[in-house]
Amino acid sequence: MIKLYDTMRRRKVELDPITPGKVGMYVCGPTVYNRIHIGNARTFISFDIIRRYLEYRGFDVTFVQNVTDVDDKIIKRANEEGRSAAEVAAEYTQAFISDMHAVGVKDPTVRPKATEEIDTMIELVQRLIDEGHAYEVEGDVYFAVRSYPAYGKLSGRNIDEMEGGHRELRADGQGLEDRKRDALDFALWKAAKPGEPSWESPWGQGRPGWHIECSAMSHKYLGLPFDIHGGGSDLVFPHHENEIAQSEAAYGCAFSQHWMHSGMLQIANAETGEAEKMSKSLNNFLLLHEALDIVRPEALRMLMLQTHYRSPLVFGDVRLAEADAALTRIENAMKNAEWLLQSAEEGDSLVDTEALRAAVALARESFCASMDDDFNAPEALGVVFGLVGALNTALAGGALAECDVPAVEQARNAVGELMGVFGIDVWGVAVMDEGGNYPDEVMDLAARLAGFDADAPVNGLFKKAAVDALLEARAAARKAKDWGTADAVRDGLTGLGFVIEDTPQGARVTFAG
């Protein structure tokens, strides 16, 4: 039984899919006027992990995430840069997709763009007008907030204590707020302004308001109600509150079964270490692609795993280093397991295989228990480290008998599988490197010191063969007490970024870069 914290109900509740075995999820996507920042990334990574776990538990997940590709911010940037809003949106839509791929976030099942769903939005706006929940004023259409008595139920706000939105002036100086029937009413459709992108509608040329697109797209691709609506906690009000009001007013049914929100990301002050809100004014605003220049994607995900998705997350150099070190510990266990599995020999067991198998069974059970409890990734990650500890204990002797292989493989596979639920691939480091990332210079070193074919093609396969030849040459030199050649091989490999480790089974090499 999976429990999640439902923002609407303000408590943990059991996940209750509308269709057994299936989950429909909608997570608000980006407004594409710039590259996303690491706070955005925190939300998208959090819901990627939630989605992955649901799939791991056997659910068929339909994951919908929109792209807002028409918006005031996009238009403003286009005007500043002297190009069209469509060009700006296209550039940053692709940048967003690239950034998501870089941090291992899976593509959504459907990624609708606002500009491709205008007819769907117009249909919804007209429905709201017909139902008496919206009204038109000189080409603008507003939602009548007081026509929906339950307004405020998600955020817990009292409608009589709310204030209207920020005042906006038209070209003639008249306030748009002055034309509303109520200051709380919000725009569903905006009349066209000169030079802005617009579409034909029953109310004249214009473009959709921000809130209406998510209601229209979620209804189209998931139906109502659907299972989970997610986003950052900053969207609870007014965006999600407005989505609920316009959707439930239009269709007369619940909008989403469950509401989930991720916590905000804060930046650790470089001098004091104290958590601060990320902002340009504090000069601590960091875009995701800039962060990936200083930390590998897997370590960034690891950092975000270490804080529960609903809690504030503090981003800083110290915590990044700790996350990278923690990930390296897991990777080293996978590398060590792979090496010893490949060099296992006949003989009596060297491992307490019964204890190792029991550790695997306990880890799988405990991992699911943690994730079933509102996707408690930090606790589940602790379970993985417990299994890594058991694996390291089994490998501590530095050798394996062939009869130990099945139990060790089971433990190694379980570590890789559970980390995969988090979207972190630790399998790649466990597989003996085929040389694809080795430096080209290793070919010359092998030709000079190991008699390797100097005309061999420079590719991963032959670079791996060159390293093997160097290790063989070093072993032969050491046996012949030719310490000069042995040291030259060692120093040459070390200088290229390789690490040599001598074991009872022979020398093994890893590429540190």
Side-chain angles (χ1 to χ4, degrees), residues 34-37 94-105 287-289 292:
N34 196 1
R35 301 290 287 265
I36 66 166
H37 56 69
Q94 187 54 54
F96 168 71
I97 294 171
S98 297
D99 285 346
M100 290 296 92
H101 289 169
V103 291
V105 172
L287 300 177
L288 174 59
H289 76 100
L292 294 180

PDB file of all heavy atoms in Angstrom, residues 34-37 94-105 287-289 292:
ATOM      1  N   ASN A  34      13.822  30.982 -20.709  1.00  0.00           N
ATOM      2  CA  ASN A  34      15.214  30.919 -20.270  1.00  0.00           C
ATOM      3  C   ASN A  34      15.530  29.467 -19.942  1.00  0.00           C
ATOM      4  O   ASN A  34      14.631  28.611 -19.916  1.00  0.00           O
ATOM      5  CB  ASN A  34      15.438  31.804 -19.042  1.00  0.00           C
ATOM      6  CG  ASN A  34      16.906  32.090 -18.775  1.00  0.00           C
ATOM      7  OD1 ASN A  34      17.779  31.632 -19.524  1.00  0.00           O
ATOM      8  ND2 ASN A  34      17.198  32.839 -17.727  1.00  0.00           N
ATOM      9  N   ARG A  35      16.798  29.171 -19.668  1.00  0.00           N
ATOM     10  CA  ARG A  35      17.167  27.854 -19.157  1.00  0.00           C
ATOM     11  C   ARG A  35      16.605  27.715 -17.744  1.00  0.00           C
ATOM     12  O   ARG A  35      16.460  28.690 -17.007  1.00  0.00           O
ATOM     13  CB  ARG A  35      18.699  27.706 -19.112  1.00  0.00           C
ATOM     14  CG  ARG A  35      19.404  27.866 -20.444  1.00  0.00           C
ATOM     15  CD  ARG A  35      19.135  26.718 -21.393  1.00  0.00           C
ATOM     16  NE  ARG A  35      19.826  25.495 -21.031  1.00  0.00           N
ATOM     17  CZ  ARG A  35      21.013  25.124 -21.526  1.00  0.00           C
ATOM     18  NH1 ARG A  35      21.653  25.912 -22.395  1.00  0.00           N
ATOM     19  NH2 ARG A  35      21.573  23.980 -21.178  1.00  0.00           N
ATOM     20  N   ILE A  36      16.273  26.492 -17.346  1.00  0.00           N
ATOM     21  CA  ILE A  36      15.703  26.294 -16.017  1.00  0.00           C
ATOM     22  C   ILE A  36      16.781  26.390 -14.952  1.00  0.00           C
ATOM     23  O   ILE A  36      17.964  26.112 -15.197  1.00  0.00           O
ATOM     24  CB  ILE A  36      14.958  24.948 -15.905  1.00  0.00           C
ATOM     25  CG1 ILE A  36      15.936  23.776 -16.033  1.00  0.00           C
ATOM     26  CG2 ILE A  36      13.840  24.863 -16.921  1.00  0.00           C
ATOM     27  CD1 ILE A  36      15.335  22.461 -15.608  1.00  0.00           C
ATOM     28  N   HIS A  37      16.388  26.805 -13.744  1.00  0.00           N
ATOM     29  CA  HIS A  37      17.336  26.885 -12.638  1.00  0.00           C
ATOM     30  C   HIS A  37      17.243  25.618 -11.787  1.00  0.00           C
ATOM     31  O   HIS A  37      16.374  24.748 -12.005  1.00  0.00           O
ATOM     32  CB  HIS A  37      17.118  28.147 -11.806  1.00  0.00           C
ATOM     33  CG  HIS A  37      15.733  28.321 -11.250  1.00  0.00           C
ATOM     34  ND1 HIS A  37      15.217  27.515 -10.261  1.00  0.00           N
ATOM     35  CD2 HIS A  37      14.744  29.209 -11.541  1.00  0.00           C
ATOM     36  CE1 HIS A  37      14.002  27.893  -9.949  1.00  0.00           C
ATOM     37  NE2 HIS A  37      13.676  28.920 -10.724  1.00  0.00           N
ATOM     38  N   GLN A  94      13.826  23.287 -26.431  1.00  0.00           N
ATOM     39  CA  GLN A  94      14.851  22.285 -26.695  1.00  0.00           C
ATOM     40  C   GLN A  94      15.907  22.273 -25.600  1.00  0.00           C
ATOM     41  O   GLN A  94      16.400  21.209 -25.201  1.00  0.00           O
ATOM     42  CB  GLN A  94      15.515  22.549 -28.049  1.00  0.00           C
ATOM     43  CG  GLN A  94      16.477  21.454 -28.489  1.00  0.00           C
ATOM     44  CD  GLN A  94      15.838  20.074 -28.479  1.00  0.00           C
ATOM     45  OE1 GLN A  94      14.795  19.853 -29.097  1.00  0.00           O
ATOM     46  NE2 GLN A  94      16.446  19.135 -27.762  1.00  0.00           N
ATOM     47  N   ALA A  95      16.240  23.461 -25.078  1.00  0.00           N
ATOM     48  CA  ALA A  95      17.211  23.527 -23.983  1.00  0.00           C
ATOM     49  C   ALA A  95      16.680  22.808 -22.746  1.00  0.00           C
ATOM     50  O   ALA A  95      17.430  22.116 -22.046  1.00  0.00           O
ATOM     51  CB  ALA A  95      17.531  24.984 -23.655  1.00  0.00           C
ATOM     52  N   PHE A  96      15.386  22.976 -22.481  1.00  0.00           N
ATOM     53  CA  PHE A  96      14.779  22.290 -21.332  1.00  0.00           C
ATOM     54  C   PHE A  96      14.861  20.778 -21.496  1.00  0.00           C
ATOM     55  O   PHE A  96      15.254  20.064 -20.563  1.00  0.00           O
ATOM     56  CB  PHE A  96      13.321  22.719 -21.183  1.00  0.00           C
ATOM     57  CG  PHE A  96      12.536  21.872 -20.222  1.00  0.00           C
ATOM     58  CD1 PHE A  96      12.766  21.951 -18.866  1.00  0.00           C
ATOM     59  CD2 PHE A  96      11.579  20.980 -20.684  1.00  0.00           C
ATOM     60  CE1 PHE A  96      12.058  21.157 -17.966  1.00  0.00           C
ATOM     61  CE2 PHE A  96      10.854  20.191 -19.799  1.00  0.00           C
ATOM     62  CZ  PHE A  96      11.102  20.278 -18.438  1.00  0.00           C
ATOM     63  N   ILE A  97      14.501  20.300 -22.677  1.00  0.00           N
ATOM     64  CA  ILE A  97      14.555  18.852 -22.920  1.00  0.00           C
ATOM     65  C   ILE A  97      15.981  18.338 -22.757  1.00  0.00           C
ATOM     66  O   ILE A  97      16.223  17.291 -22.138  1.00  0.00           O
ATOM     67  CB  ILE A  97      13.989  18.531 -24.313  1.00  0.00           C
ATOM     68  CG1 ILE A  97      12.493  18.857 -24.370  1.00  0.00           C
ATOM     69  CG2 ILE A  97      14.227  17.062 -24.667  1.00  0.00           C
ATOM     70  CD1 ILE A  97      11.892  18.787 -25.759  1.00  0.00           C
ATOM     71  N   SER A  98      16.952  19.088 -23.283  1.00  0.00           N
ATOM     72  CA  SER A  98      18.357  18.684 -23.154  1.00  0.00           C
ATOM     73  C   SER A  98      18.790  18.663 -21.690  1.00  0.00           C
ATOM     74  O   SER A  98      19.498  17.746 -21.253  1.00  0.00           O
ATOM     75  CB  SER A  98      19.249  19.637 -23.950  1.00  0.00           C
ATOM     76  OG  SER A  98      18.958  19.575 -25.334  1.00  0.00           O
ATOM     77  N   ASP A  99      18.373  19.671 -20.929  1.00  0.00           N
ATOM     78  CA  ASP A  99      18.722  19.715 -19.507  1.00  0.00           C
ATOM     79  C   ASP A  99      18.119  18.534 -18.756  1.00  0.00           C
ATOM     80  O   ASP A  99      18.758  17.958 -17.870  1.00  0.00           O
ATOM     81  CB  ASP A  99      18.241  21.026 -18.888  1.00  0.00           C
ATOM     82  CG  ASP A  99      19.106  22.225 -19.277  1.00  0.00           C
ATOM     83  OD1 ASP A  99      20.219  22.008 -19.799  1.00  0.00           O
ATOM     84  OD2 ASP A  99      18.663  23.370 -19.067  1.00  0.00           O
ATOM     85  N   MET A 100      16.882  18.187 -19.092  1.00  0.00           N
ATOM     86  CA  MET A 100      16.240  17.054 -18.431  1.00  0.00           C
ATOM     87  C   MET A 100      16.952  15.741 -18.760  1.00  0.00           C
ATOM     88  O   MET A 100      17.181  14.899 -17.885  1.00  0.00           O
ATOM     89  CB  MET A 100      14.771  16.975 -18.831  1.00  0.00           C
ATOM     90  CG  MET A 100      13.892  18.087 -18.263  1.00  0.00           C
ATOM     91  SD  MET A 100      13.763  18.076 -16.443  1.00  0.00           S
ATOM     92  CE  MET A 100      15.117  19.182 -15.977  1.00  0.00           C
ATOM     93  N   HIS A 101      17.323  15.581 -20.009  1.00  0.00           N
ATOM     94  CA  HIS A 101      18.067  14.375 -20.384  1.00  0.00           C
ATOM     95  C   HIS A 101      19.411  14.329 -19.654  1.00  0.00           C
ATOM     96  O   HIS A 101      19.872  13.249 -19.248  1.00  0.00           O
ATOM     97  CB  HIS A 101      18.296  14.359 -21.891  1.00  0.00           C
ATOM     98  CG  HIS A 101      17.049  14.099 -22.683  1.00  0.00           C
ATOM     99  ND1 HIS A 101      16.985  14.252 -24.050  1.00  0.00           N
ATOM    100  CD2 HIS A 101      15.808  13.707 -22.304  1.00  0.00           C
ATOM    101  CE1 HIS A 101      15.767  13.957 -24.476  1.00  0.00           C
ATOM    102  NE2 HIS A 101      15.035  13.633 -23.433  1.00  0.00           N
ATOM    103  N   ALA A 102      20.033  15.490 -19.481  1.00  0.00           N
ATOM    104  CA  ALA A 102      21.344  15.535 -18.833  1.00  0.00           C
ATOM    105  C   ALA A 102      21.292  15.043 -17.394  1.00  0.00           C
ATOM    106  O   ALA A 102      22.268  14.464 -16.903  1.00  0.00           O
ATOM    107  CB  ALA A 102      21.908  16.958 -18.875  1.00  0.00           C
ATOM    108  N   VAL A 103      20.170  15.267 -16.709  1.00  0.00           N
ATOM    109  CA  VAL A 103      20.063  14.824 -15.310  1.00  0.00           C
ATOM    110  C   VAL A 103      19.216  13.560 -15.183  1.00  0.00           C
ATOM    111  O   VAL A 103      18.783  13.203 -14.094  1.00  0.00           O
ATOM    112  CB  VAL A 103      19.504  15.941 -14.398  1.00  0.00           C
ATOM    113  CG1 VAL A 103      20.505  17.064 -14.266  1.00  0.00           C
ATOM    114  CG2 VAL A 103      18.170  16.469 -14.902  1.00  0.00           C
ATOM    115  N   GLY A 104      18.989  12.878 -16.294  1.00  0.00           N
ATOM    116  CA  GLY A 104      18.350  11.572 -16.240  1.00  0.00           C
ATOM    117  C   GLY A 104      16.857  11.578 -16.018  1.00  0.00           C
ATOM    118  O   GLY A 104      16.294  10.557 -15.596  1.00  0.00           O
ATOM    119  N   VAL A 105      16.184  12.688 -16.302  1.00  0.00           N
ATOM    120  CA  VAL A 105      14.727  12.738 -16.161  1.00  0.00           C
ATOM    121  C   VAL A 105      14.089  12.150 -17.418  1.00  0.00           C
ATOM    122  O   VAL A 105      14.419  12.547 -18.540  1.00  0.00           O
ATOM    123  CB  VAL A 105      14.240  14.188 -15.944  1.00  0.00           C
ATOM    124  CG1 VAL A 105      12.718  14.263 -15.996  1.00  0.00           C
ATOM    125  CG2 VAL A 105      14.746  14.709 -14.605  1.00  0.00           C
ATOM    126  N   LEU A 287      21.557  28.409 -12.736  1.00  0.00           N
ATOM    127  CA  LEU A 287      20.846  27.625 -13.735  1.00  0.00           C
ATOM    128  C   LEU A 287      21.343  26.189 -13.689  1.00  0.00           C
ATOM    129  O   LEU A 287      22.488  25.907 -13.316  1.00  0.00           O
ATOM    130  CB  LEU A 287      21.055  28.211 -15.130  1.00  0.00           C
ATOM    131  CG  LEU A 287      20.575  29.658 -15.337  1.00  0.00           C
ATOM    132  CD1 LEU A 287      20.912  30.132 -16.748  1.00  0.00           C
ATOM    133  CD2 LEU A 287      19.077  29.771 -15.086  1.00  0.00           C
ATOM    134  N   LEU A 288      20.485  25.271 -14.113  1.00  0.00           N
ATOM    135  CA  LEU A 288      20.849  23.853 -14.042  1.00  0.00           C
ATOM    136  C   LEU A 288      22.093  23.553 -14.868  1.00  0.00           C
ATOM    137  O   LEU A 288      22.995  22.846 -14.408  1.00  0.00           O
ATOM    138  CB  LEU A 288      19.678  22.987 -14.504  1.00  0.00           C
ATOM    139  CG  LEU A 288      19.966  21.485 -14.615  1.00  0.00           C
ATOM    140  CD1 LEU A 288      20.410  20.906 -13.272  1.00  0.00           C
ATOM    141  CD2 LEU A 288      18.743  20.745 -15.132  1.00  0.00           C
ATOM    142  N   HIS A 289      22.145  24.065 -16.079  1.00  0.00           N
ATOM    143  CA  HIS A 289      23.299  23.720 -16.920  1.00  0.00           C
ATOM    144  C   HIS A 289      24.584  24.300 -16.351  1.00  0.00           C
ATOM    145  O   HIS A 289      25.674  23.747 -16.564  1.00  0.00           O
ATOM    146  CB  HIS A 289      23.065  24.180 -18.366  1.00  0.00           C
ATOM    147  CG  HIS A 289      23.232  25.637 -18.613  1.00  0.00           C
ATOM    148  ND1 HIS A 289      24.387  26.167 -19.162  1.00  0.00           N
ATOM    149  CD2 HIS A 289      22.413  26.688 -18.404  1.00  0.00           C
ATOM    150  CE1 HIS A 289      24.260  27.476 -19.276  1.00  0.00           C
ATOM    151  NE2 HIS A 289      23.066  27.815 -18.824  1.00  0.00           N
ATOM    152  N   LEU A 292      25.732  21.864 -13.652  1.00  0.00           N
ATOM    153  CA  LEU A 292      26.339  20.656 -14.205  1.00  0.00           C
ATOM    154  C   LEU A 292      27.764  20.879 -14.682  1.00  0.00           C
ATOM    155  O   LEU A 292      28.453  19.917 -15.038  1.00  0.00           O
ATOM    156  CB  LEU A 292      25.475  20.113 -15.346  1.00  0.00           C
ATOM    157  CG  LEU A 292      24.095  19.591 -14.917  1.00  0.00           C
ATOM    158  CD1 LEU A 292      23.320  19.085 -16.106  1.00  0.00           C
ATOM    159  CD2 LEU A 292      24.226  18.504 -13.855  1.00  0.00           C
TER     160      LEU A 292
END
